Each structure stands twice: as structure tokens, then as C-alpha cells.
Amino acid sequence: MLLTLDLDSEAPIYLQIRDRIVEAIAEGDLAEGDALPSTRQLGADLGINFHTVNKAYDLLRAQGLIRINRKSGAVIRRDARSGPAESGFADEWQERLRTLLAEAVALGLDADEVTARCGSVLESFRAKASS
């Protein structure tokens, strides 16, 4: 699995790892049942402490995107084809979306540009997943 991280970013590395895995699931590069590298292996591959990877995997597990057990390690639990989202997810997600949209508006993006960019990102997920 190829992850691109920005070590100079203000975003913590564990969140970048989480975000790249979520994007890979959305784009169809990772599907339900796919195994992820062990935390030690991914840490070694990225040149970072495995505890950082563990923190990212814990977030993904808490969000229901992966399952972790001693025998099979970390495995993708669900993807876009796994059926409807779990109860309560949409409300929680909307709160996070509200903050992200507030940031865009506060920094001067108008509603039309925000809408266009959201549409563009969603379309890129569809296009990548169908290819």
C-alpha cells in the first residue's frame, strides 16, 4: 500500500495515515476484506514509529472502517458496497462537515465554489472506483 504523507504539514501524521486509508477505500483501491500492513510494517515502510500507525488504525477501528484481531491483523471492514451506513453515522459526519464548511466560508470561499469543489471530489471518487 502506497501512502503519501507530508511530514511538513500541520496535520498530525496519524491523521494523514487515517485520511489516506479512508480515501483509498472511497476510491476503491481498498475494499472490504483487504488486509492492511501491520503497524510495525507500515511504520517501517514510512520511517515512523509504529505507535503513530497504531493511533491511525485505532481511529479507523473506532469509526467502523477496519477490524483488528490478533490472527488476521487489520482488515477493511466496510467499503462503499457494504450497504447503508450504520445508524447515527450521518448525523456525526454532518457535524464534522459543518466545521469543514465553516472553515471554507470563514476563509473566503463562496457557496458556489464550495459546492463545485465538493461535487468535483465526489465525482473523482466515482470515477476512480469505477475504473
Side-chain angles (χ1 to χ4, degrees):
M1 177 172 63
L2 177 65
L3 295 178
T4 304
L5 303 178
D6 180 359
L7 301 179
D8 295 325
S9 172
E10 290 183 19
I13 294 172
Y14 75 93
L15 283 179
Q16 291 183 53
I17 294 169
R18 179 235 172 244
D19 291 349
R20 297 303 81 80
I21 292 172
V22 170
E23 290 165 4
I25 294 169
E27 292 171 345
D29 292 334
L30 290 172
E32 183 178 349
D34 287 349
L36 295 173
S38 71
T39 56
R40 290 186 189 277
Q41 182 62 55
L42 188 54
D45 291 348
L46 296 172
I48 60 173
N49 190 299
F50 78 93
H51 290 294
T52 303
V53 178
N54 194 51
K55 194 168 182 179
Y57 281 16
D58 280 346
L59 280 175
L60 292 163
R61 183 191 47 73
Q63 294 169 328
L65 290 168
I66 68 172
R67 66 178 184 275
I68 302 171
N69 70 41
R70 292 179 191 248
K71 283 189 173 184
S72 61
V75 176
I76 302 299
R77 183 174 169 258
R78 64 174 293 119
D79 61 21
R81 296 176 304 265
S82 298
E86 294 178 6
S87 175
F89 167 76
D91 293 335
E92 178 186 322
W93 174 80
Q94 186 171 342
E95 286 303 311
R96 294 192 331 251
L97 176 63
R98 179 177 172 75
T99 301
L100 191 59
L101 293 174
E103 181 182 325
V105 170
L107 291 172
L109 293 180
D110 68 29
D112 289 338
E113 184 172 359
V114 170
T115 301
R117 288 177 181 264
C118 288
S120 175
V121 169
L122 286 171
E123 184 53 39
S124 75
F125 292 149
R126 269 190 288 260
K128 179 92 179 177
S130 66
S131 62

